[in-house]
Amino acid sequence: MKAFTATRDAAATVRLTEVPEPQPAPDQALVKVEAYSVNRGETFQLERPPADGWRPGKDIAGLVVQAAPDGSGPPVGTRVVGHPPALGWAEYAAVPTSRLAVLPDELPSVQAAALPLAGLTALRLLRQAGHLAGRRVLLTGASGGVGHYLTELAGAAGARLTAVTASAERGQRLIELGAAEVVHRVADAEGPFDVVLESTGGADLPLALQRLAPRGLLLWFGQASRQPVTLDFFDILTGPTSATIRQFSYADVDEPDGADLATLVRLTAEGRLHPELGTVRDWRETPEVLADLRGRRIRGNAVLTVN
């Protein structure tokens, strides 16, 4: 079968090659991939690929063509969305049944493929944030796939959310999704905020921290700027009283992905969650999409269709 493999060179991109078709483990279903999503974080991973044999691909949607040998999971012919740990940018992928959710007929594969990594991150991040009704929330790096989901979910939960995005056009869409306010720099956000959801790192995190309310919570879930964070103890000491800074990873959960994927599917099918498809292209254009993601030329999710 055909699949994208890492070039493992200075270009840090991928090439379409022939690889063996996967042989599912007892708890894995074989899925014919119809669409997959490419996340900006995966462009970072391609710069330092894991061990030989690794191929990229965490977000897929398609059709089960071989059920799991142990009898778990959906039967042959079922449309699914999946979140394998890797190997998804291919014609076929073997996916643990605990990482699959069934798709209703009304939800296209192109939309479903945009749900897993970004949607799981947003859903689990808001759980960590706790009760949001009536609380003021600051979201940095709001124009990507995670940011759009966070904006819509937080707004639906009753939060008064201020989103930070450099683009006026993207800001308008965030207002439509539920943001109460959009600013173009963290320095322009007027606190105090009960919760800060910080994804850019660099100079933005200290600025966001200064805008926390007493005993506020900052959840640090990314470093899109690629710049390290420097914190001055004395700035914190004179800032918000008893602030909490907590690192967040969407994968650091005890529950399998399937249940949360099913929640994201249900919300989308009900029209309560709207995947933002910044671009939809043929999968042969994956290297170009990677370049556009690195250059921040895509708003929302990038989805590739497998023909």
Side-chain angles (χ1 to χ4, degrees):
M1 72 169 187
K2 290 183 173 62
F4 276 104
T5 59
T7 57
R8 299 181 180 274
D9 56 21
T13 185
V14 292
R15 60 173 174 265
L16 195 59
T17 59
E18 289 286 339
V19 301
E21 188 172 304
Q23 301 300 311
D27 65 341
Q28 293 179 334
L30 185 64
V31 177
K32 185 180 187 299
V33 179
E34 296 175 350
Y36 59 81
S37 179
V38 177
N39 300 281
R40 191 163 182 264
E42 290 172 302
T43 69
F44 304 158
Q45 199 171 22
L46 285 167
E47 295 172 7
R48 293 185 178 182
D52 290 342
W54 174 86
R55 288 188 280 109
K58 293 186 174 185
D59 293 1
I60 70 164
L63 188 72
V64 174
V65 293
Q66 181 180 323
D70 67 1
S72 64
V76 170
T78 305
R79 297 179 60 246
V80 294
V81 60
H83 188 51
L87 312 178
W89 300 356
E91 292 182 299
Y92 295 90
V95 186
T97 55
S98 63
R99 290 172 171 255
L100 290 172
V102 175
L103 293 178
D105 293 340
E106 64 268 25
L107 187 56
S109 295
V110 167
Q111 278 192 304
L115 288 173
L117 193 150
L120 291 171
T121 300
L123 187 66
R124 292 169 177 174
L125 192 59
L126 291 181
R127 284 184 187 147
Q128 289 292 311
H131 179 65
L132 291 179
R135 304 180 78 191
R136 296 199 64 192
V137 178
L138 176 65
L139 170 63
T140 68
S143 60
V146 176
H148 283 88
Y149 289 135
L150 278 170
T151 298
E152 192 162 22
L153 291 170
R160 180 174 175 80
L161 184 133
T162 296
V164 183
T165 177
S167 164
E169 177 189 359
R170 298 181 186 188
Q172 180 56 43
R173 180 54 178 154
L174 293 167
I175 292 290
E176 294 169 0
L177 289 172
E181 180 186 22
V182 170
V183 297
H184 302 308
R185 303 182 307 157
V186 175
D188 297 330
E190 295 185 6
F193 296 96
D194 304 294
V195 177
V196 169
L197 307 174
E198 213 296 297
S199 66
T200 54
D204 279 350
L205 190 147
L207 289 174
L209 181 61
Q210 291 172 11
R211 285 153 177 77
L212 267 183
R215 291 168 295 282
L217 170 64
L218 186 149
L219 287 168
W220 186 6
F221 69 100
Q223 193 160 297
S225 69
R226 311 299 298 275
Q227 298 300 314
V229 172
T230 300
L231 293 176
D232 188 312
F233 173 80
F234 295 103
D235 286 344
I236 299 175
L237 189 65
T238 58
T241 305
S242 299
T244 298
I245 303 174
R246 187 182 305 162
Q247 177 268 349
F248 170 86
S249 169
Y250 87 103
D252 189 18
V253 296
D254 295 327
E255 302 82 8
D257 293 331
D260 283 344
L261 282 175
T263 296
L264 295 169
V265 166
R266 175 177 58 80
L267 292 173
T268 305
E270 293 173 354
R272 299 164 61 188
L273 191 65
H274 298 84
E276 291 292 305
L277 304 183
T279 188
V280 179
R281 306 187 205 176
D282 182 272
W283 73 316
R284 285 179 283 268
E285 296 184 55
T286 298
E288 290 78 11
V289 169
L290 290 170
D292 285 344
L293 283 171
R294 287 190 172 106
R296 296 183 175 277
R297 292 185 289 272
I298 295 175
R299 179 190 71 190
N301 296 96
V303 176
L304 289 303
T305 58
V306 181
N307 301 315

